[in-house]
Amino acid sequence: MLSRIADILVPAFGRLSVTTDPGCEIAPGSIICANHTSLADPAIVIAALRRLGAEPVIMAAAGLWRVPVLGRSLAREGHIPVHRGDRRAAAALDLAAHALDQGRCLLIYAEGALPRRKDAAEAAPGSFRSGLARLVERTGAPVVPVGQAGARRITSGGVVKQLAGLATAPARRPDLHVHVAAPLTLAGDTTTRTARARTAVTTAWRTAAAHLGEPAALAA
């Protein structure tokens, strides 16, 4: 249901375009790793993935499960709450591994948090946490790097600015772009896996941001 809703709503808030690497395929049981810049980017990413035939289980902050209606939908569809800094955090990896074993794709945000910048500009992904690497070690699942750009043009900054961005986006309809890279098989220790995943997601982000003419990507 979330994928269908995102596919309907995102075009109302911006102009979404999607590109892929040659030979890109999102196989069942893949881990999809995307950069995280805005409260809007999960909807943008899952709308893009639906265009490619993928409707993933999403690992997301547990607080979303407390939102009326949304929380019930997330629970009903098998999405996975992440309780950061809590003993229940390990349970999220168990649920993720089970979803992958069942052949479902999994969307994960390895940065684990949003950037604290107030402007709407793009920047390369921040440091990755170790959960992605540990999940790969446990399951052997391929990783599909995804870069998205433009979500900060819808929501970024403080609460007032974010609400204003959402309210005006249907009139502005900013350009949004998602690039899906070819899948990776990550090997090595946790540090090596984490570094390689971050490099791949950064490369995908740079491709997406360059499509929008973002200075941070063009300078790189």
Side-chain angles (χ1 to χ4, degrees):
M1 185 186 76
L2 288 184
S3 292
R4 292 195 301 273
I5 291 172
D7 198 31
I8 293 168
L9 288 182
V10 168
F13 285 83
R15 293 181 289 268
L16 175 62
S17 55
V18 183
T19 53
T20 64
D21 278 354
C24 174
E25 179 182 356
I26 305 176
S30 295
I31 300 171
I32 302 167
C33 183
N35 64 307
H36 197 18
T37 63
S38 164
L39 292 174
D41 66 60
I44 293 166
V45 169
I46 63 176
L49 293 173
R50 190 166 195 258
R51 294 187 184 183
L52 301 177
E55 296 187 354
V57 172
I58 304 164
M59 294 186 75
L64 294 175
W65 272 252
R66 295 193 294 269
V67 177
V69 181
L70 175 61
R72 290 195 296 273
S73 296
L74 290 169
R76 183 174 61 249
E77 296 179 23
H79 300 291
I80 300 169
V82 179
H83 299 268
R84 297 188 180 94
D86 187 302
R87 69 181 63 182
R88 291 171 293 179
L93 286 184
D94 292 338
L95 293 171
H98 179 71
L100 292 168
D101 287 342
Q102 296 298 308
R104 298 198 68 178
C105 292
L106 177 79
L107 174 60
I108 186 171
Y109 288 94
E111 293 163 273
L114 290 168
R116 296 184 178 182
R117 299 187 344 268
K118 301 299 184 183
D119 65 339
E122 292 288 328
S127 298
F128 276 20
R129 302 190 183 201
S130 63
L132 170 63
R134 288 185 283 125
L135 188 58
V136 169
E137 181 178 14
R138 179 170 173 174
T139 64
V143 175
V144 179
V146 171
Q148 62 77 27
R152 292 185 65 79
R153 299 177 180 184
I154 297 178
T155 59
S156 59
V159 174
V160 173
K161 185 180 177 185
Q162 293 202 43
L163 292 174
L166 278 173
T168 60
R172 295 183 289 114
R173 299 197 68 240
D175 289 330
L176 316 166
H177 192 86
V178 174
H179 181 75
V180 182
L184 300 172
T185 300
L186 298 182
D189 59 17
T190 298
T191 301
T192 301
R193 288 191 181 101
T194 300
R196 190 177 175 208
R198 184 187 178 196
T199 297
V201 172
T202 299
T203 300
W205 161 80
R206 187 169 290 120
T207 299
H211 270 270
L212 303 185
E214 282 284 343
L218 296 176

